[in-house]
Amino acid sequence: MKIELIPAIDIIGGKCVRLTNGDYGLKTVYNDDPVAQARGFERLGFKRLHIVDLDGAKAKHIVNAETLERIARETSLVIDFGGGIKSEKDLQKAFSAGADMVTVGSIAVSQPRTFLDWLGAYGPGKLILGADVRNGFVSINGWKEDSQEALLPFLSKYIDAGVINVLCTDISKDGTLAGPAVDLYSKVMGAFPHIHLIASGGVSGNEDIMRLEEAGIPAVVFGKAWYEGKIDIEKLNKWRTTD
């Protein structure tokens, strides 16, 4: 099965940025217009887009709904959106603005009953369980706080409840171009082979995406590698069609 390719747009102050290790002080702006960036991804043939409202993650409520709405209106990309989803009002706001799926992480840690209620109300096809990992434990609130939730038990209780989509980010890899945590993602897939796992963090180029595909990882998010010209989509597509 071919790995699903998902470019990312992270938003701070209305601009397309990337952080290193989730540090807001280590920010690089790559495009002043996230909507134009999204249109560019669509022109290149991408079908899906991962949007993170970093302002929202920090503020603990959605901040960049207007940008989400414009991207949804001006492209036909399938959008998954995360950042600042702390209440059902935020969840409904994201869907109303055009998100096809919403990533929820912090609430699943701090308010498990609420997450399970949302899972029942909206269905497993609309929610992505976000698991941002540092030293084996799930981090929350824009990676500012570490929880006591170990990754596999955390995933297990929600997968048993019906979760099928999981976005897993190794924070130590994110924005570093140091290569993805293939062993970590393989461990997750070994434990839960039926889920749609989206690997995130550390992708440095085509070879990393190939490694993830060969390891059987269903999907990958990439950002910095793309913006710094380290992913050659033509070569990657050629490899994917001839493999």
Side-chain angles (χ1 to χ4, degrees), residues 151-204:
L151 177 61
L152 291 186
F154 172 75
L155 295 179
S156 181
K157 66 182 176 183
Y158 288 122
I159 290 169
D160 288 346
V163 162
I164 56 174
N165 298 298
V166 174
L167 171 67
C168 187
T169 303
D170 184 332
I171 296 171
S172 70
K173 299 280 191 178
D174 194 73
T176 65
L177 302 176
V182 179
D183 289 345
L184 173 66
Y185 306 131
S186 296
K187 185 176 181 180
V188 172
M189 289 304 299
F192 313 107
H194 64 286
I195 66 170
H196 188 74
L197 177 66
I198 307 165
S200 172
V203 170
S204 66

Side-chain angles (χ1 to χ4, degrees), residues 20-233:
T20 299
N21 300 139
D23 188 339
Y24 282 71
L26 299 176
K27 175 184 71 177
T28 303
V29 177
Y30 287 103
N31 195 321
D32 289 338
D33 187 348
V35 182
Q37 183 66 61
R39 289 197 299 262
F41 283 136
E42 186 174 41
R43 284 195 299 271
L44 287 168
F46 292 106
K47 304 298 183 185
R48 184 163 165 180
L49 179 65
H50 176 65
I51 299 177
V52 181
D53 183 351
L54 288 174
D55 291 316
K58 196 171 185 179
K60 300 186 180 181
H61 62 82
I62 292 179
V63 173
N64 288 290
E66 183 179 346
T67 301
L68 167 61
E69 188 172 13
R70 286 187 59 207
I71 291 173
R73 185 173 63 246
E74 297 183 29
T75 76
S76 58
L77 293 164
V78 174
I79 299 170
D80 68 76
F81 178 87
I85 308 297
K86 306 299 183 187
S87 67
E88 189 157 10
K89 180 180 178 182
D90 290 318
L91 194 63
Q92 292 174 347
K93 188 173 186 179
F95 284 131
S96 295
D100 297 283
M101 292 170 280
V102 173
T103 300
V104 180
S106 299
I107 288 292
V109 173
S110 62
Q111 300 178 46
R113 184 68 256 172
T114 296
F115 179 81
L116 290 171
D117 288 344
W118 292 355
L119 185 65
Y122 293 92
K126 301 294 285 184
L127 294 182
I128 301 170
L129 176 61
D132 301 327
V133 185
R134 180 161 39 216
N135 299 322
F137 291 87
V138 179
S139 292
I140 60 175
N141 295 328
W143 303 348
K144 297 299 182 184
E145 302 172 34
D146 293 331
S147 77
Q148 297 302 308
E149 294 274 5
L151 177 61
L152 291 186
F154 172 75
L155 295 179
S156 181
K157 66 182 176 183
Y158 288 122
I159 290 169
D160 288 346
V163 162
I164 56 174
N165 298 298
V166 174
L167 171 67
C168 187
T169 303
D170 184 332
I171 296 171
S172 70
K173 299 280 191 178
D174 194 73
T176 65
L177 302 176
V182 179
D183 289 345
L184 173 66
Y185 306 131
S186 296
K187 185 176 181 180
V188 172
M189 289 304 299
F192 313 107
H194 64 286
I195 66 170
H196 188 74
L197 177 66
I198 307 165
S200 172
V203 170
S204 66
N206 286 15
E207 294 77 13
D208 286 336
I209 295 172
M210 294 173 187
R211 285 174 60 215
L212 289 165
E213 179 166 305
E214 289 166 352
I217 309 305
V220 59
V221 165
F222 48 83
K224 190 171 187 176
W226 177 268
Y227 296 115
E228 300 207 352
K230 297 181 181 297
I231 293 175
D232 187 324
I233 192 62

